Amino acid sequence: MFFMNKDNNGVVTPMVSVVMIAYNMEKYISTAIKGVVTQKTDFPVELIVMDDNSTDSTPQIIERWQRKYPGIIVNVRNPKNLGLQRNYLEGFARCRGKYMAICDADDYWFNKKKLLRQVRYMESHPECSITFHRMVNYYEASGEKSLSNGGQKVDTTLADLCRSNYITNSSVLYRREKVDLKKLPDWIKSDRSPDYAMHVLYGRTGNIHFFRRPMGVYRKSAGSSWSLTKEAERLRMSLAVRQRLMETIKDNEEAVRGMKISSANILRRMMALAEDEEERKRIVDMAKEMEIILPEGKASSGEKGGGKSLLTSVRRVVSRLIPLPEP
């Protein structure tokens, strides 16, 4: 049983603060909010909903949920649109809980004991700074579904995380106090998607634990922020984040090596997409600046053997028939 802490004014301090950012999410946000407020815990939870000046009915939907759960939902409506990254940071700065979770407004949690499981583990493992879990990937356009993190190790470190980003944003629980969320690096404010940077900043402070049980749905829709960005631009953004993070983790040689491996993979893919020799030269110059030796040979096209491709196709068809779990 967890004890409820109160501040000097007698206000209950939540054990977990959940940040949910939203902009024009009228189609999805009720499902996302429901998955949070119906969590079964023996500790208090707050849900901070950051509406980025939506122009659809998102604000009215949030207000209806807040009237129903006034002790849980903190409704923040920005007077002007801040953009995804600044909206995240504003939400982070408002958190009061010992732990911080994220649930994007187009994702949702369906396991009622998600937070309970994660908090109990972290309470008994003070060396752990991050927990995350498997997600159901839902490809909205086709109706196909898959599970994330196949073959994922249960316990990992910062060096593992630097080699690849295997944490889905809406699955994460951070030990909030380990990072000063009001004094984050200035460059994060210009990062198109600050989730990986946050994972690494917390990964510096302790171990990372994975739950194999799927506990949420990650929606991959045609209108998502990533889908609206061309692959080449996404790669440039990912590389820029890693360049900045390498300075932050420079005291950890193994983590730096891991970050260089992931950066080399990004650079190699950028080279495969380059349209002319001038662009390829720029990529080579970036690699030299980062002291990365690019591997020779062409990037993989992603083609599989015939038998495996057939099996994958069958799984995709079957997955369409499996209903999504309800929040």
Side-chain angles (χ1 to χ4, degrees):
M1 182 69 182
F2 298 95
F3 294 95
M4 292 189 182
N5 296 322
K6 295 184 179 181
D7 63 19
N8 294 332
N9 297 318
V11 177
V12 173
T13 303
M15 175 67 83
V16 179
S17 296
V18 183
V19 176
M20 180 179 293
I21 66 165
Y23 177 70
N24 289 353
M25 284 287 171
E26 62 182 7
K27 184 178 177 182
Y28 306 118
I29 195 164
S30 280
T31 305
I33 291 175
K34 182 180 179 181
V36 177
V37 298
T38 57
Q39 286 288 299
K40 298 185 182 299
T41 67
D42 50 12
F43 49 78
V45 175
E46 69 173 353
L47 170 60
I48 303 168
V49 186
M50 301 293 301
D51 175 61
D52 204 15
N53 201 248
S54 295
T55 58
D56 63 1
S57 63
T58 298
Q60 291 74 39
I61 295 170
I62 298 170
E63 288 171 6
R64 287 199 297 270
W65 277 100
Q66 187 189 35
R67 287 195 294 270
K68 190 174 181 180
Y69 294 93
I72 297 178
I73 296 176
V74 179
N75 182 9
V76 181
R77 178 167 166 78
N78 298 329
K80 63 179 182 179
N81 186 274
L82 300 179
L84 181 144
Q85 60 273 44
R86 286 190 59 198
N87 200 21
Y88 264 128
L89 299 180
E90 287 290 324
F92 295 159
R94 292 174 181 269
C95 292
R96 300 180 296 131
K98 181 177 180 179
Y99 300 99
M100 181 176 76
I102 298 170
C103 184
D104 292 333
D106 53 351
D107 299 334
Y108 66 89
W109 303 336
F110 58 80
N111 188 294
K112 303 298 184 187
K113 294 184 178 181
K114 166 204 153 67
L115 290 180
L116 183 65
R117 288 189 173 96
Q118 289 181 280
V119 168
R120 282 183 172 171
Y121 181 87
M122 295 182 80
E123 284 288 285
S124 61
H125 294 80
E127 75 284 358
C128 180
S129 290
I130 303 174
T131 58
F132 70 107
H133 55 79
R134 216 167 193 189
M135 297 284 282
V136 175
N137 298 318
Y138 175 46
Y139 303 86
E140 195 172 39
S142 65
E144 295 169 3
K145 306 163 195 75
S146 66
L147 287 176
S148 71
N149 300 89
Q152 174 68 49
K153 289 196 297 184
V154 172
D155 292 300
T156 53
T157 65
L158 174 63
D160 297 307
L161 184 60
C162 288
R163 281 188 282 272
S164 67
N165 181 15
Y166 43 79
I167 300 176
T168 303
N169 214 29
S170 291
S171 75
V172 75
L173 185 72
Y174 300 121
R175 194 179 295 274
R176 185 181 67 89
E177 60 203 26
K178 290 288 187 176
V179 174
D180 189 342
L181 296 172
K182 295 183 180 180
K183 294 182 180 180
L184 292 170
D186 287 340
W187 59 261
I188 289 185
K189 296 175 184 177
S190 60
D191 183 9
R192 179 70 176 80
S193 183
D195 55 334
Y196 182 55
M198 293 295 294
H199 301 339
V200 170
L201 291 177
Y202 275 98
R204 294 177 65 205
T205 69
N207 296 336
I208 304 167
H209 182 76
F210 170 65
F211 291 85
R212 290 195 176 95
R213 181 193 299 264
M215 294 194 275
V217 170
Y218 171 47
R219 194 188 306 271
K220 298 193 176 187
S221 61
S224 68
S225 57
W226 279 121
S227 299
L228 295 174
T229 312
K230 293 180 179 178
E231 183 180 2
E233 183 182 348
R234 294 202 305 267
L235 291 168
R236 284 193 295 271
M237 288 159 42
S238 296
L239 187 66
V241 170
R242 282 160 176 78
Q243 286 178 294
R244 290 159 175 160
L245 285 172
M246 271 199 274
E247 177 64 25
T248 304
I249 62 170
K250 62 184 179 181
D251 57 334
N252 187 323
E253 291 184 7
E254 188 180 3
V256 170
R257 283 196 297 272
M259 194 70 77
K260 285 190 175 184
I261 290 171
S262 64
S263 298
N265 290 333
I266 292 171
L267 285 162
R268 190 179 182 190
R269 180 60 184 159
M270 290 172 66
M271 187 72 80
L273 295 175
E275 296 181 351
D276 52 49
E277 191 59 37
E278 185 177 345
E279 187 175 353
R280 282 188 282 273
K281 185 178 182 305
R282 283 197 299 269
I283 294 168
V284 170
D285 290 341
M286 282 190 286
K288 289 179 180 177
E289 183 181 344
M290 298 175 71
E291 299 180 346
I292 292 173
I293 299 175
L294 290 179
E296 296 181 358
K298 296 181 179 179
S300 170
S301 65
E303 294 178 359
K304 309 293 183 183
K308 194 166 184 179
S309 296
L310 177 61
L311 180 59
T312 301
S313 298
V314 171
R315 284 175 175 166
R316 286 176 177 171
V317 172
V318 172
S319 76
R320 295 174 193 163
L321 306 176
I322 301 172
L324 277 174
E326 295 292 329

